[in-house]
Amino acid sequence: MSRISCFFIIALVLLNPGFVQSKASVFDSQGVEMVFVPGGQVKLGMTLDEAISFCKSLNSETLDCSQTFLTTLYAFIDHTTADVPDFYMDKYEVSVKDYIKCVEADICVLRPVENEFYSLLESPDLLIGDLPVSGINYYEAAIYCAWRQARLPTEAEWQYAAVGSNAYPFPWGEDTHDVPAKYCDGTCMSATNPPPNNNFRIKVPIDTYADGQSWSGIYNLSGNVAEWTSTWYSMEPSVGGDIRISKGGSYDSSLLELAVWLRTPESTLLPFRATGFRCVRTIAP
């Protein structure tokens, strides 16, 4: 091996001390797997007319699409193209089990997983530990990511990890019939009907729906739990206050709400019951 090659390898280790590296993914200091996402361009934005047209293609007879968008808080922006540098993103949504490690380190607050925490103390192998953490506010999510020497993704990073430079509406492409995601398929809010898809009434384990992986190999970017991004709803402090954009929809979202271009503004201080998150890490230059 040449001196130049040795120097390059040493530099990578020094610049990323918390990583154990493989060809396509890394494991950080807490053992969480992160996927390498090579940079590129992503197309953001959707006009109201385009959103209504897409809505009608999904619900031609059962939903008033104009009314849906005009009476909700979904935010629309003009079409724009963003350049996204290389980065690493969590392969899975942050799980209850991994969040509890941060609680036990006296960094994260217990509230979002209080019941799950005590259940796992009694039975460490409970399936509940593999569910995504949810009911968490923006700052709780940001603190967890910082504990792992990471951060929350921008909206551009999130959407690029989901569909790359393509214009697909979902991470798996355009299929709206055999949907590989946890969403509200008609029985999600009923306690008496059989569980909806995949035999889980609400959330599913973070490694469910392998067929729904994005082009970058990341699971459940649409569905299961909505995900915080660090992107502001508005750069004007007088517009909406401290509000960030969440992406991807959740277990109680319609198929329409799983579309990657949809932007949902959420108050940073409110713990939305169906909102979780995942972390990203910038590659050192």
Side-chain angles (χ1 to χ4, degrees):
M1 182 180 295
S2 69
R3 291 183 179 180
I4 294 177
S5 298
C6 289
F7 176 81
F8 181 71
I9 292 173
I10 291 171
L12 282 177
V13 173
L14 290 176
L15 289 170
N16 296 278
F19 279 0
V20 177
Q21 301 209 23
S22 67
K23 183 177 180 181
S25 63
V26 297
F27 291 86
D28 71 6
S29 59
Q30 299 302 320
V32 177
E33 185 174 4
M34 306 184 81
V35 173
F36 174 66
V37 183
Q41 287 191 330
V42 61
K43 299 175 183 177
L44 299 171
M46 177 70 68
T47 67
L48 180 58
D49 286 343
E50 289 171 332
I52 291 173
S53 177
F54 179 75
C55 172
K56 288 180 177 179
S57 74
L58 300 179
N59 307 278
S60 58
E61 298 178 356
T62 60
L63 186 65
D64 184 340
C65 292
S66 298
Q67 189 74 4
T68 295
F69 287 111
L70 292 175
T71 59
T72 58
L73 294 177
Y74 299 127
F76 295 91
I77 58 173
D78 293 333
H79 286 283
T80 184
T81 300
D83 292 316
V84 180
D86 297 350
F87 64 99
Y88 286 97
M89 175 178 271
D90 288 353
K91 185 173 183 176
Y92 308 107
E93 294 153 326
V94 173
S95 70
V96 169
K97 190 177 295 183
D98 283 330
Y99 185 84
I100 283 175
K101 292 179 183 178
C102 184
V103 173
E104 292 176 328
D106 292 326
I107 302 296
C108 295
V109 298
L110 179 62
R111 181 196 52 76
V113 291
E114 188 168 7
N115 293 333
E116 292 91 337
F117 178 84
Y118 294 115
S119 298
L120 284 171
L121 286 179
E122 296 177 3
S123 304
D125 296 327
L126 276 177
L127 179 65
I128 198 170
D130 297 322
L131 298 178
V133 65
S134 61
I136 187 166
N137 72 35
Y138 174 85
Y139 294 104
E140 291 163 346
I143 288 170
Y144 169 88
C145 288
W147 173 66
R148 283 179 40 204
Q149 299 180 331
R151 58 180 173 80
L152 291 169
T154 65
E155 179 185 15
E157 287 172 329
W158 188 97
Q159 189 166 326
Y160 182 72
V163 295
S165 298
N166 298 304
Y168 295 135
F170 308 110
W172 59 87
E174 300 177 299
D175 190 356
T176 60
H177 300 289
D178 186 15
V179 177
K182 181 60 177 167
Y183 72 107
C184 180
D185 58 352
T187 61
C188 59
M189 300 307 292
S190 172
T192 56
N193 289 336
N197 48 25
N198 215 66
N199 292 321
F200 287 87
R201 190 174 298 282
I202 303 180
K203 299 182 289 186
V204 297
I206 58 174
D207 60 352
T208 309
Y209 295 115
D211 292 344
Q213 290 180 70
S214 72
W215 69 278
S216 54
I218 297 174
Y219 281 63
N220 291 305
L221 281 164
S222 286
N224 212 19
V225 293
E227 300 180 13
W228 284 110
T229 76
S230 61
T231 298
W232 293 87
Y233 168 56
S234 172
M235 295 307 293
E236 295 291 334
S238 60
V239 180
D242 192 3
I243 295 177
R244 309 286 176 127
I245 296 296
S246 72
K247 302 284 283 185
S250 69
Y251 58 83
D252 65 355
S253 297
S254 66
L255 182 58
L256 169 66
E257 294 169 308
L258 268 57
V260 299
W261 44 261
L262 203 64
R263 317 172 78 231
T264 305
E266 296 190 17
S267 172
T268 57
L269 296 176
L270 295 179
F272 294 90
R273 68 184 181 91
T275 301
F277 68 107
R278 71 181 78 222
C279 307
V280 300
R281 185 165 177 173
T282 307
I283 298 176

